[in-house]
Every structure is written in structure tokens, then in C-alpha cells.
Amino acid sequence: MAANAFTGLLNSSADRHSLFDDAQGIVAGSMLAVLGVSLLSGAGLLAGGTAGLAFLAHYATGFSFGLCFFAVNLPFYYLAFRRMGPAFTIKTFAAIALTSILSEFVPGFIGIGHVNPIAGALFGGLVIGAGMLALFRHRASLGGIGILALYIQDRLGWRAGLVQLGFDCLILALSFLVASPSIIACSVLGAVVFNLTLAINHRKDRYIAV
């Protein structure tokens, strides 16, 4: 009986992930996201979404990115539960918690010193995009603002993409309080690379497993 239950945790099919599949996807996605964040942080760059809010809080207060990232995502779990359901919310909470914890310890194991801002934007945006792809394909996420955008679209009829863009523009405007125009320009480059990575590689009609 126990052997059958264990085997069930490992078995997956073309259209359904096993529990083990989801676990390794969340761990891998979180690890890639932390590596990308480390590259952005080494270059002094910022990001969009809740990661951008966490960077702003980190640079403004001196608190660690991991702590700020976990804290700014707390208000979005209710929306995630209402909009996406309990499974998505639990996996997203696990991904955010793991990313926050790894962000505390990874710099002690992988020392990233000075990073050229353009290189940090290109490589950081790409690596975070790859991490988000892994999470998306296992029905998880790292960002609360995207969920808020979907919620506003449902309630008010505003297009989620425009809502997301509005929030990112607001974060960008606030960035002038803690960063120079050149750093902000490189941060925009990183956001473009990140979003292109998702737009080109994440399509529901090509990847259907749940």
C-alpha cells in the first residue's frame, strides 16, 4: 500500500504533473529566480511587479530583499485564492517563501560582486524569466500584481495588461527616488528581456500539463 502511494507521487502523464513534478518545478523555478535577482542586485538594478516593490523597499530601508519580497506579497494571497483557487495559492506561497529564504542565504554561498548594469539586465532578466517559466508550467507564480490585475479586470472590466503596465510605470516612477536614470534605463532593459522570455516561450496551446 505504502509503495503504491509513493509510486503515485512520482507518476505523471503527458497532461498532468505528479506531486514530485510540481515540487521540483517550484524548487528549480525559485532557485533560478534567486540567481537572477542576485545578478540584478549586484548591478544595483530594479524590477517590475512585486519584485520591484521589494527592491524599492530593500534599497530604501536596508532590509534584506528576501524579507521585503515576502512581506509585499502577503496582501495578494487572498486575491490568489479567490481568482486562481487553493492549489495555485499554496504552490505560489511555497515558491515565494522558498525564494525569500534562498535570497537570505544564497549570497553567502555565491558571491556576486560588481556586475555591469547592461550585463546584469540581460542575464538577470533572462534567468528570472526562465525561473518564472518553470513556475508557470507548474501552476505557480512569484508575482502578486499580476493577480491583482486579473482581479481588477474581473471586477471593473479594465484590461489586465494595461493595469499591469500602469503598476509597473508607477514602480518605475518611484524608482527615481532611489536610483539614477542610467540604472533605471538598464532596469527597463532587464524587464524587456524578462517579458520577452515569457511571451515567446509560454503559450498554453503548446504546454497543456496541469
Side-chain angles (χ1 to χ4, degrees):
M1 181 72 70
N4 290 337
F6 180 74
T7 301
L9 295 178
L10 299 179
N11 287 339
S12 60
S13 62
D15 61 350
R16 182 165 296 276
H17 291 296
S18 67
L19 182 61
F20 177 78
D21 290 341
D22 284 338
Q24 68 81 31
I26 290 172
V27 171
S30 299
M31 291 176 68
L32 286 169
V34 169
L35 180 58
V37 165
S38 297
L39 290 170
L40 293 182
S41 181
L45 303 181
L46 299 111
T50 48
L53 292 175
F55 268 122
L56 285 174
H58 165 61
Y59 291 139
T61 67
F63 289 118
S64 68
F65 172 84
L67 177 62
C68 294
F69 183 67
F70 185 80
V72 298
N73 273 290
L74 288 176
F76 297 103
Y77 290 120
Y78 173 75
L79 293 178
F81 182 83
R82 288 287 303 273
R83 182 65 177 76
M84 308 298 288
F88 174 86
T89 305
I90 292 170
K91 287 188 283 188
T92 294
F93 179 84
I96 290 171
L98 181 57
T99 299
S100 300
I101 293 170
L102 289 174
S103 296
E104 296 291 326
F105 294 100
V106 165
F109 297 107
I110 303 176
I112 298 179
H114 171 72
V115 179
N116 176 274
I118 295 178
L122 295 174
F123 285 92
L126 179 62
V127 173
I128 295 175
M132 289 298 296
L133 280 173
L135 294 173
F136 284 172
R137 290 182 173 181
H138 292 271
R139 303 258 179 160
S141 177
L142 286 178
I145 288 180
I147 299 168
L148 177 60
L150 290 173
Y151 182 80
I152 292 175
Q153 177 176 272
D154 288 346
R155 293 297 298 271
L156 301 178
W158 300 354
R159 293 180 62 179
L162 294 178
V163 173
Q164 176 83 47
L165 178 61
F167 277 111
D168 284 344
C169 287
L170 177 60
I171 293 170
L172 182 62
L174 293 173
S175 299
F176 281 96
L177 299 175
V178 297
S180 66
S182 62
I183 288 296
I184 293 173
C186 290
S187 299
V188 171
L189 174 62
V192 170
V193 172
F194 165 75
N195 283 291
L196 282 177
T197 301
L198 293 182
I200 293 171
N201 294 283
H202 182 64
R203 283 180 51 177
K204 291 183 179 179
D205 58 338
R206 287 181 177 168
Y207 193 86
I208 60 173
V210 297

